[in-house]
Amino acid sequence: ATGDRAIAHARLGTEGQVVDVALRLNGLGTVEVTVLDALDQPVPATEVSFTALGNFRDVRALATGANGIAGFANVAAGDFTVSARDPATRLIGTAVARLAPGQVLPVTLKLQPIGEIHGRVLDVDGATPRAGVQVRVISRQRGILTQM
């Protein structure tokens, strides 16, 4: 048993009716996720999550090996997401992709780069410091990253 699945629909109109239904298997493939840091170095021992987005619910989690790779075998073909979070730095990386039946698809997740932002909030006059003001750090790719 490979774990491949199929969905079919049929309608019975009368008592005792027999309907033939053809089942077409969805297909399976393999997703090999490589997790890299901002300097393109492999990140070992990072949890990677796989979520199938198609008709078949499939959510899995694996840790990357010493080479920064986690391999998800026999997953449903179709659209999926993968994400990684480094437990040491708490940095994340995500991707959405499509897997064809029988395909071995390499996916690289690059953890977000980190840095520091220093600044002060000034009133409309441009000189008076303001306290208690909500500040958001926003990324064009990731939306709101943090709120203070």
Side-chain angles (χ1 to χ4, degrees):
T2 64
D4 203 353
R5 298 181 249 178
I7 292 179
H9 301 277
R11 182 180 296 258
L12 298 173
T14 61
E15 178 74 28
Q17 179 182 1
V18 176
V19 175
D20 289 324
V21 177
L23 292 173
R24 181 176 176 202
L25 292 173
N26 183 73
L28 300 172
T30 299
V31 177
E32 294 181 347
V33 180
T34 302
V35 179
L36 302 175
D37 64 17
L39 300 174
D40 290 329
Q41 297 301 306
V43 184
T46 296
E47 183 174 305
V48 179
S49 298
F50 169 92
T51 304
L53 300 176
N55 290 325
F56 305 105
R57 179 172 162 72
D58 191 1
V59 178
R60 303 183 193 186
L62 293 172
T64 57
N67 59 359
I69 297 175
F72 296 91
N74 292 325
V75 296
D79 294 336
F80 66 90
T81 66
V82 285
S83 61
R85 181 170 177 252
D86 182 349
T89 64
R90 300 182 61 181
L91 298 176
I92 61 169
T94 62
V96 177
R98 177 171 286 171
L99 179 67
Q103 182 179 19
V104 176
L105 182 64
V107 176
T108 299
L109 294 182
K110 193 163 185 179
L111 299 179
Q112 66 199 48
I114 60 170
E116 293 182 23
I117 298 173
H118 296 270
R120 15 179 238 160
V121 179
L122 302 175
D123 207 338
V124 268
D125 64 9
T128 307
R130 291 287 310 265
V133 176
Q134 183 180 66
V135 176
R136 292 181 180 168
V137 178
I138 300 175
S139 163
R140 288 182 190 212
Q141 289 81 24
R142 300 183 197 280
I144 295 175
L145 298 178
T146 190
Q147 249 174 220
M148 298 170 268

